Amino acid sequence: MSTVTFGIAPGYGEKLHAALGYSGAVRVDDRVEISGQAGVDDDLVIPDALEDEIIQAFDNVERTLATVGATWKDVIHVNSYHKVAPGADVIGEDHNRVMAEQFRRRLDGRAPIWTETGVTALGLAAMRVEIRVTAVVGSGN
């Protein structure tokens, strides 16, 4: 029988759980799935600068993984959603540069698979990025 554990990050995660009724993470044995993480602070405020928003989203992935005993080094798959203008045919280099910098900084050479999707709307009107990951606890050791 599998062991299932749900996790809710303190601060922003608790607020979203109370408002919308979902958990930020679930761990089934050693496999972890997290919900999409926005670049919000604990008051659900989004930074003005895109780079700061992406970095905050990466921080929130880290905080959410920690609720179920995982880290960025356990991540095997990343889905990122990037707001683009209707009709845009590419996700901007401003997004890609910061995403790649954060992968290098947090993954210590590990290269998980990555699916990057352009969208015209996200959960909050001001959001420009959302990041969701899958991890296997212990796989990054």
Side-chain angles (χ1 to χ4, degrees), residues 8-140:
I8 300 167
Y12 70 91
E14 294 167 325
K15 287 181 179 165
L16 292 170
H17 175 75
L20 301 172
Y22 71 93
S23 296
V26 63
R27 178 175 173 168
V28 181
D29 298 326
D30 289 338
R31 184 180 178 92
V32 174
E33 302 282 347
I34 70 166
S35 63
Q37 299 299 301
V40 296
D41 67 14
D42 285 340
D43 294 317
L44 304 179
V45 174
I46 298 165
D48 291 334
L50 174 64
E51 181 170 358
D52 294 339
E53 181 181 352
I54 293 172
I55 292 169
Q56 184 66 56
F58 270 80
D59 289 346
N60 290 347
V61 167
E62 187 170 305
R63 289 175 64 190
T64 301
L65 286 167
T67 68
V68 291
T71 72
W72 266 106
K73 289 185 173 68
D74 298 315
V75 170
I76 61 168
H77 182 196
V78 177
N79 284 85
S80 62
Y81 305 91
H82 304 265
K83 189 181 277 185
V84 297
D89 60 358
V90 68
I91 294 168
E93 177 56 29
D94 52 346
H95 287 255
N96 289 328
R97 177 187 54 79
V98 180
M99 292 291 294
E101 287 171 359
Q102 291 302 304
F103 285 149
R104 287 184 191 99
R105 180 174 158 245
R106 296 171 193 261
L107 291 164
D108 196 31
R110 185 176 182 120
I113 60 174
W114 177 24
T115 302
E116 183 181 34
T117 304
V119 299
T120 57
L122 290 164
L124 299 171
M127 285 173 60
R128 293 161 288 190
V129 68
E130 187 169 352
I131 302 171
R132 185 203 166 288
V133 305
T134 301
V136 176
V137 176
S139 66

